[in-house]
Amino acid sequence: GGDAHAVALDVTDAGSVREAARWVEERFDKLDVLVNNAGITGSGQVSPEDATDQIPSTVDLDMVRAVFETNVFGVIAVTNAMLPLLRRSPAARIVNVSSHAGSLTLTSDPDGPFSALMPSAAYTPSKATLNALTVQYANELRKDGVLVNAIAPGFVDTDSNNHTGFLAPAQAAEVVVRLATVGADG
């Protein structure tokens, strides 16, 4: 029953972010939902277990910086640019797309699937940082009525994992929509 519009932008380009915020303001004057979905692994189109370039002791710092530029700093840039528009909405929602790989509990379990299967000195730390950042935005914006949540949609079949995921993108989108439309107690 809603009206959705996608806006293409490069979250690592300040001009592109400003232009997207301007586009939304000119057409709608407010923003009801922001979904921060831009994300990269840094390893390209490979299965997680084949991301050997993410082994902490040999990781390329430029790759880590690029991942954080998109997965963390991009979220900050886009969220901050859109906040004036979100604050004009009577029920604004921000949904940050994270990952189970961002869970310190799951990734620190030596017997869990993340410790042995997926070396990750860039992607995992970026998603853990995104989770912490989501909490900080939620704490700040709660008083303004802006609800901020993160989702871990599961192992979704995408280019970023070389289509080894077992969930369809539509299944992940269902979770995003649920949080984008969550009630005031969400």
Side-chain angles (χ1 to χ4, degrees), residues 52-64 120-122:
T52 56
D53 58 348
Q54 299 247 354
I55 295 171
S57 61
T58 57
V59 71
D60 181 330
L61 283 177
D62 288 335
M63 188 250 288
V64 176
S120 183

Side-chain angles (χ1 to χ4, degrees), residues 136-161:
Q136 296 305 309
Y137 272 115
N139 290 340
E140 176 189 353
L141 299 174
R142 183 177 296 114
K143 69 182 180 337
D144 297 333
V146 179
L147 300 184
V148 185
N149 287 287
I151 66 154
F155 196 38
V156 181
D157 182 2
T158 66
D159 287 347
S160 67
N161 61 35

Side-chain angles (χ1 to χ4, degrees), residues 61-146:
L61 283 177
D62 288 335
M63 188 250 288
V64 176
R65 286 183 182 101
V67 170
F68 269 75
E69 192 66 41
T70 297
N71 298 2
V72 177
F73 305 135
V75 170
I76 295 170
V78 173
T79 300
N80 290 352
M82 298 297 178
L83 269 177
L85 303 171
L86 287 158
R87 286 185 167 120
R88 294 178 193 162
S89 172
R93 306 291 184 260
I94 299 173
V95 180
N96 293 330
V97 179
S98 187
S99 169
H100 288 89
S103 166
L104 297 178
T105 300
L106 292 175
T107 58
S108 63
D109 179 357
D111 297 320
F114 290 99
S115 64
L117 177 65
M118 191 171 139
S120 183
Y123 181 76
T124 291
S126 77
K127 292 301 185 173
T129 302
L130 177 60
N131 292 342
L133 184 63
T134 300
V135 170
Q136 296 305 309
Y137 272 115
N139 290 340
E140 176 189 353
L141 299 174
R142 183 177 296 114
K143 69 182 180 337
D144 297 333
V146 179

